[in-house]
């Protein structure tokens, strides 16, 4: 997928006081009918090493592997997607 836009957000958790960083990427799968998606990646690792090692920039072509998991909690279905 081609990364068309990258936005960075940072903050501090009100509940735990830990810092976090989020990268919002707009992705496009080229073709006759382009498919677009927004992917938000949250990183709370020390030094934000998980996000920094990818050096995501607009215009880059990357392969993303997605794993979908469905679970249930309190009668509600929750979908988790690991990237």
């Amino acid at each position: 997928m081609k990364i068309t836009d990258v936005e960075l957000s940072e903050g501090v958790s009100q509940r735990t006081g830990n810092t976090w960083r989020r990268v919002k990427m707009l992705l496009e799968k080229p073709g006759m009918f382009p498919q677009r998606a927004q992917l938000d990646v949250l990183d709370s690792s020390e030094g934000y090493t998980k996000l920094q090692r990818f050096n995501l920039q607009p215009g880059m072509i990357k392969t993303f592997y997605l794993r979908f998991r469905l679970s249930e909690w309190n009668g509600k279905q929750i979908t988790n997607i690991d990237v």
Side-chain angles (χ1 to χ4, degrees), residues 16-32:
T16 64
N18 296 334
T19 58
W20 55 267
R21 181 178 283 178
R22 183 185 79 189
V23 171
K24 180 169 70 171
M25 292 177 282
L26 298 177
L27 306 172
E28 183 177 294
K29 183 178 178 183
M32 185 185 306

Side-chain angles (χ1 to χ4, degrees), residues 1-6 23-29 37-41 51 54 56-57 60-68 81-83:
M1 298 194 89
K2 181 179 179 178
I3 300 172
T4 58
D5 190 29
V6 177
V23 171
K24 180 169 70 171
M25 292 177 282
L26 298 177
L27 306 172
E28 183 177 294
K29 183 178 178 183
Q38 175 180 316
L39 181 63
D40 291 343
V41 180
L51 291 174
F54 294 112
L56 301 169
Q57 302 293 323
M60 293 177 97
I61 305 288
K62 291 284 187 181
T63 301
F64 294 93
Y65 296 97
L66 306 175
R67 184 179 71 163
F68 296 87
I81 303 172
D82 295 329
V83 180

